Amino acid sequence: MNFPYQVIIFHLIGGLGIFVFGIKFMGEGLKNMAGDRLRTILDRYTSTPLRGIISGMVVTILIQSSSGTAVLTVGLVSAGVLSLKKAIAIIMGANIGTTVTAFIIGFQLSEYALPIMALGSLLLFFFKNKMITHAGQTIFGFGSLFLGLEIMGAGLEPLRLVDEFRELMLGISSSPFLGFIAGALFTSVVQSSSASVGVLQELHAQGLITLKASLPILLGDNLGTTITALLASIGASLAAKRTAWAHVLFNAAGAFLFLLLLQPFSLLVTVMKETFSLNPHMSLAFAHGSFNILSTLIQLPLIAVLVKIVSLLVRDNREGTEYRTSHLDPVFIEQSAAIALGQAKEEVLRMGYLSAKGLLEAQDYLFSREKIHADAVRGMEEAINQFDRDIEKYLVRLSSTSLSHTESAKNSMMMNTARDIERVGDHIENLVELVDYLVSHKVTLSDSAMTDLKEIFSLTIFSLEQSIQALDHHDCDQARRVIKNEETIDRMERTLRKKHILRINEGLCSAPAGIIFIDILTNLERIGDHAVNMAEATLNIRK
């Protein structure tokens, strides 16, 4: 008889596709319901290793992906929000959190998959409230997960009659290392340990692989899942690369340790299976959970050692300061709009502080006439322009995703703020060019004019710095002071113009010096205007 290979293959790939879709769709729904809380959890609740582990668990349960949590952690370390030590604790918790999917599968709700999906569809398509639609998305994904499992099971069942497949399973059973490699490779390909563990649970449930032979594959799955974080660290900061390698070393150490202790680990799982009368799906769920919990408990006291090893493994070979974006990882656009906006804000702030530093350099150039300050400003202006291009490109891409009203408003505000800072950079460059003219044409300003310029420079620098700090710390009082300062700058600009006209009339300053003086005032006044725009963004009253 012709064996139905086509039916098997179609059921396997189709079922796996629906299963992976279910995990992702459910994770997206949970993530949308969590909103800004994802970043808050990872950012704030990591003061101790235990809290870091709990945070990693919670976020992984919310997004249904340990790889996703690892990628988010890599980004936050790259942004300087998290230390490497805290990141390792989060990754430990993520490994425990990812076992929740296996336990969900263990409840064997396949026969209820279709009504669950029907309920999800009802909430998803017949309600306008976003929280209800996100809940519908979560429920629909939950049902899809079980539907995918049922289809895979139907495809796997005939494989028990295939001699070649039985021989392959026997080979894996007799060689734990081969099973370990197979698990690592499969997880690396599908980019989801939850999916690979789900397939393994179904293979064991169909009697195609024994419990003991499943365990090395399970251990390999935990190593294979680290490939996602490694890929996310490519081109990222030194801290991000160290975080990704910490993920690899932690998972590898735990997997190889339990591979060496496979016999007692198998005995532990068998005892749990018999004690709690576990079904095949739940047996592997308990195995997955106990491995990750025990591995974390064993390695938790060694976090500091792991940090040192990773620091030696990934050395810092960079020299000098890098004026380039390092937080705008496209992964965050897919993972979490809230975190992507947070990362964009980090770059806008870096850009802002760079502009304030540039304005200080321009002032120093005016009063010292040393060319090193002019060169510094030109380098910073080039960097500011690149920041602006990168941020705009990132935010435009983010705006094409499904953002909430609040997220969309933040996106627009961030783009406008970046543009304000870019214009500040242009005015700073104008100031340098004006001083260049003074130097090249040997034009001098009177002591009185220089004193006036020093006064308005100081106030403008103070106002610009305050506007950036207000945005950084969400300080509305500081933002209001910036707006008040701008009124002072405007009055001062008008007063100094009149004073300088008098100086020209009295012959204390030449006409060319007068033009340069007025142009310097104009550029400083416009920088003050852009500082006000940033302050208004903080107050959320941008027109």
Side-chain angles (χ1 to χ4, degrees), residues 488-504:
T488 306
I489 292 172
D490 287 344
R491 284 197 303 272
M492 185 183 293
E493 191 255 353
R494 290 192 295 270
T495 302
L496 296 184
R497 275 175 183 267
K498 292 174 183 176
K499 282 180 65 178
H500 200 65
I501 290 169
L502 290 174
R503 277 194 294 267
I504 293 172

Side-chain angles (χ1 to χ4, degrees), residues 276-292:
F276 301 111
S277 302
L278 302 176
N279 62 45
H281 288 98
M282 196 61 84
S283 298
L284 277 180
F286 268 75
H288 195 204
S290 57
F291 158 68
N292 281 293

